Amino acid sequence: MVILSVDYGRVRTGIAVCDKNEIIASPVEVIKEVRQEVLAEKISMLCRQKGAEQIVLGLPKNMDGTEGESALNVRAFSEILQTVTGLPVVLQDERGTTVTAYGYLDRTNTYGKKRKAIVDSVAAVIILEDYLRYRRNGL
């Protein structure tokens, strides 16, 4: 199944997608949009273009597992996204994904404007990889 992953941000939102065999997660783009309804429409268009059957949305929990204001915003956005796309939206714990994404970019010597432009889509790849691992192994 083709799954689209979303690393939601107040300004920049990273998008990734996997192949139909759920083996390879690839970055798609970073969308710069602050209005949730417009963002949901843009994501819906990408879902149609990529043939996505499900959406995985990163849920930003605190390191102790509790949920703060950011998680509440993501939960609200997930409802908008599900309504606009008509696709099931699964929330995936995203603790540490941005830090991991920065680590990947450090190892590839990606800095400056390019780093800022792609870090969110790399985080979306990590969210998707974590979810695919969960689907395969039940972990």
Side-chain angles (χ1 to χ4, degrees):
M1 161 173 28
V2 175
I3 303 170
L4 188 118
S5 173
V6 178
D7 179 36
Y8 175 76
R10 287 180 282 150
V11 177
R12 289 183 313 275
T13 297
I15 308 293
V17 69
C18 72
D19 62 299
K20 67 180 181 176
N21 295 319
E22 300 180 17
I23 296 172
I24 299 172
S26 304
V28 174
E29 70 177 88
V30 174
I31 301 171
K32 291 182 182 177
E33 181 57 62
V34 297
R35 297 165 295 175
Q36 288 185 333
E37 294 78 12
V38 175
L39 177 60
E41 288 292 341
K42 290 179 179 183
I43 293 171
S44 181
M45 185 173 54
L46 284 173
C47 286
R48 288 189 301 274
Q49 289 173 355
K50 301 294 183 182
E53 301 168 66
Q54 181 179 354
I55 298 170
V56 175
L57 178 60
L59 181 64
K61 291 185 176 184
N62 297 322
M63 292 312 283
D64 65 1
T66 60
E67 295 183 11
E69 185 178 339
S70 293
L72 294 176
N73 288 336
V74 165
R75 287 189 179 279
F77 181 64
S78 74
E79 293 177 19
I80 295 168
L81 193 55
Q82 188 163 343
T83 299
V84 170
T85 64
L87 296 174
V89 177
V90 175
L91 297 174
Q92 173 70 29
D93 186 349
E94 69 167 33
R95 280 179 281 186
T97 57
T98 301
V99 172
T100 303
Y102 278 120
Y104 289 166
L105 295 173
D106 285 346
R107 286 192 293 277
T108 60
N109 293 319
T110 305
Y111 297 101
K113 289 182 182 179
K114 183 170 183 176
R115 179 185 184 107
K116 186 175 181 178
I118 65 170
V119 69
D120 298 301
S121 62
V122 173
V125 168
I126 296 166
I127 291 165
L128 185 51
E129 287 174 340
D130 288 348
Y131 180 70
L132 294 175
R133 191 171 16 264
Y134 167 79
R135 284 176 60 88
R136 281 191 299 270
N137 303 322
L139 301 176

